[in-house]
Amino acid sequence: MASTASPMASQFRSSFASSSTKRLAVPIDINIGATFRISPGKRSFIIKAVQIPREMEAIEEYPMNGGHGIYSYAKNSYRQGQAINAVKELIKEEITEKLDINKFPSSDTFRIVDVGCSTGPNTFFAVQNVLEAVEKKYQREGLDHCRLPEFQVFFNDHSSNDFNTLFTSLPPNKNYYVAGVPGSFHARLFPEASLHIVISSYALQWISHIPKELVDRSSPAWNKGRTYYAHAGAETIKAYADQFAKDMDNFFHFRAQEVVTGGMVLLTIPGGRWDYQILSNTLHDLLESAIVDLAKKGIISEEKLDSFNVPQYFPSPQEMEAAVKRNGCFSIERIECLHDEKKQANPKEARVFSSHMRAGLEFLLSEHFGHEIMDELFDLFTKKIEECEVFDMGVAFKLLVVLKRK
């Protein structure tokens, strides 16, 4: 006997076949062409479709080196730690003065997330700075210690992040409850209006994916013979900038849904000036030079060189301000460009800088060029740092962005 579809199933099928059908976010382990079956023993069912922007479909994962080895992120992230320390008092000041706790819904739990937390220990320092400022804010509002809310802290990064190293490194005397949240900060992570403070330090420079035109031979943005945008053509730079802008649109769109009215978003991002003399651009240029040298020696192919681009973009204050204004859900409390003083050249620092870059980029580089050339590549990179005295050439700029949810 031929089966007859129920009216509900027919209506569901016809609605998805209409011209107004939207793109759906489908779990990666579900075949888009698969048939969805409804058990006859069930009286009701829910199918939830989420419309997402096209740009979100290709979010890549860029994990830092895990563990506690010689080239691990945990042992080679002092620059990020310096940035957190540099903005510590500014962030405390902003929270104490501007966190609008009187607008928060009645709750005994205060929720904080660090997006792009990596493996620690920097994330713990950043979280503790925020907690101290929040406690001070509540005390200024006349609440004694016994009436402070409980704190829940979420640590977010891609699912490939080494969460084991992160959680085994947790401070033993922490005064908050902990949860890990795997996923991209370019996507939705939390329920509506569930967060009070969002922080991120040295993570938002990672774009969600490399624009396809950078590896398209027919495109004017094709980044032939280069791995970065510092000395590239105008079309290449524009492709990077446009991708960063799209990613920020997604970031603020989803954070606006997750943060309560009066809550805050506190971001520290490397960048601040589009200028070759900033330290980040100098280091990436030297790494590019090392990769090109290996290609000239035939150790890596020209095709491999032309198809690799570092997925990082260092924004200006104007670009961040424009992204916030496009979103319209946050007030800009502070956007400030800070810089470190130049250091005197120190040959020992070359290896430190090289290891720092290796901790952050080795996964990408080894996936593309092969793990067997990593030692040779970074030895050459270290020599280039020593030769150019990068410490005298580049200034480390960072952006502090402080926002409040309207």
Side-chain angles (χ1 to χ4, degrees):
M1 174 183 286
S3 61
T4 303
S6 69
M8 180 182 292
S10 297
Q11 182 180 3
F12 175 76
R13 183 168 55 249
S14 63
S15 67
F16 269 74
S18 69
S19 60
S20 62
T21 298
K22 303 296 185 182
R23 301 180 66 85
L24 304 178
V26 181
I28 59 174
D29 56 342
I30 293 180
N31 184 343
I32 294 178
T35 301
F36 288 86
R37 300 185 182 275
I38 302 169
S39 171
K42 301 291 184 181
R43 294 182 179 272
S44 64
F45 63 94
I46 298 174
I47 297 179
K48 185 176 182 180
V50 181
Q51 184 181 352
I52 59 174
R54 179 180 293 270
E55 296 81 27
M56 287 181 56
E57 295 177 356
I59 297 175
E60 301 291 341
E61 298 198 6
Y62 314 120
M64 308 295 101
N65 281 351
H68 293 282
I70 187 172
Y71 300 121
S72 66
Y73 180 86
K75 289 192 174 180
N76 294 280
S77 54
Y78 84 99
R79 283 185 59 212
Q80 293 90 325
Q82 287 179 330
I84 291 171
N85 190 59
V87 300
K88 175 181 177 179
E89 294 306 320
L90 295 176
I91 284 180
K92 285 186 174 182
E93 173 188 323
E94 292 293 329
I95 292 175
T96 304
E97 295 297 328
K98 298 173 182 177
L99 184 66
D100 215 339
I101 61 177
N102 293 321
K103 289 186 177 180
F104 294 164
S106 178
S107 174
D108 293 327
T109 304
F110 192 101
R111 297 180 180 88
I112 300 166
V113 61
D114 183 1
V115 297
C117 65
S118 193
T119 61
N122 293 325
T123 184
F124 306 133
F125 301 145
V127 164
Q128 189 59 40
N129 293 342
V130 170
L131 287 172
E132 291 173 4
V134 172
E135 288 181 348
K136 184 176 180 180
K137 176 68 174 183
Y138 272 91
Q139 290 165 358
R140 282 185 56 174
E141 295 295 319
L143 299 176
D144 58 38
H145 184 75
C146 296
R147 296 177 60 193
L148 288 176
E150 292 186 305
F151 293 105
Q152 183 173 24
V153 176
F154 300 97
F155 295 98
N156 158 257
D157 214 313
H158 284 292
S159 58
S160 53
N161 183 57
D162 185 3
F163 282 99
N164 286 336
T165 292
L166 177 72
F167 291 136
T168 56
S169 305
L170 281 165
N173 58 342
K174 64 185 185 303
N175 60 336
Y176 50 87
Y177 296 96
V178 173
V181 180
S184 170
F185 51 62
H186 295 119
R188 181 76 179 267
L189 295 168
F190 295 93
E192 184 175 355
S194 60
L195 300 173
H196 299 90
I197 289 182
V198 175
I199 62 173
S200 183
S201 182
Y202 275 49
L204 289 185
Q205 74 273 14
W206 291 93
I207 56 178
S208 62
H209 65 280
I210 288 295
K212 62 182 182 299
E213 54 265 37
L214 295 185
V215 293
D216 181 356
R217 292 173 179 268
S218 64
S219 170
W222 182 32
N223 203 19
K224 177 176 172 56
R226 297 194 178 279
T227 64
Y228 192 58
Y229 66 86
H231 288 308
E235 292 296 329
T236 300
I237 296 170
K238 184 177 184 301
Y240 265 98
D242 288 349
Q243 186 58 55
F244 180 82
K246 293 174 184 177
D247 289 341
M248 286 300 93
D249 286 347
N250 284 332
F251 179 85
F252 288 125
H253 170 71
F254 293 118
R255 301 299 84 78
Q257 296 177 54
E258 297 165 349
V259 177
V260 300
T261 300
M264 299 184 74
V265 175
L266 306 155
L267 312 172
T268 309
I269 312 167
R273 285 177 50 187
W274 205 97
D275 183 341
Y276 172 66
Q277 291 303 316
I278 70 171
L279 184 59
S280 297
N281 281 348
T282 304
L283 289 170
H284 277 292
D285 187 66
L286 292 173
L287 181 61
E288 175 186 275
S289 176
I291 295 172
V292 170
D293 285 355
L294 294 186
K296 290 177 179 177
K297 293 178 181 179
I299 296 173
I300 61 176
S301 69
E302 184 178 342
E303 181 183 1
K304 284 286 188 181
L305 169 61
D306 291 343
S307 58
F308 180 80
N309 291 276
V310 175
Q312 291 186 355
Y313 182 79
F314 302 101
S316 68
Q318 293 77 18
E319 287 171 304
M320 291 304 299
E321 181 178 358
V324 176
K325 288 182 176 179
R326 284 195 303 271
N327 175 264
C329 295
F330 296 93
S331 62
I332 298 175
E333 303 299 319
R334 186 177 201 150
I335 294 183
E336 185 172 349
C337 183
L338 309 168
H339 68 86
D340 300 332
E341 296 297 328
K342 286 186 178 181
K343 294 182 177 180
Q344 295 296 318
N346 181 353
K348 293 182 180 179
E349 288 287 302
R351 177 63 64 181
V352 174
F353 273 82
S354 178
S355 296
H356 162 84
M357 294 286 281
R358 184 166 182 168
L361 292 172
E362 184 168 22
F363 172 83
L364 282 175
L365 292 165
S366 61
E367 283 281 299
H368 191 83
F369 297 111
H371 180 73
E372 62 277 3
I373 71 163
M374 289 300 103
D375 287 342
E376 184 175 3
L377 172 61
F378 282 97
D379 284 344
L380 180 57
F381 177 50
T382 303
K383 292 177 182 177
K384 288 181 177 291
I385 297 175
E386 292 171 342
E387 291 168 359
C388 85
E389 296 183 348
V390 65
F391 321 101
D392 291 329
M393 291 178 60
V395 178
F397 284 88
K398 65 185 74 66
L399 278 179
L400 174 62
V401 180
V402 179
L403 311 174
K404 186 159 71 171
R405 182 67 169 92
K406 295 179 180 177

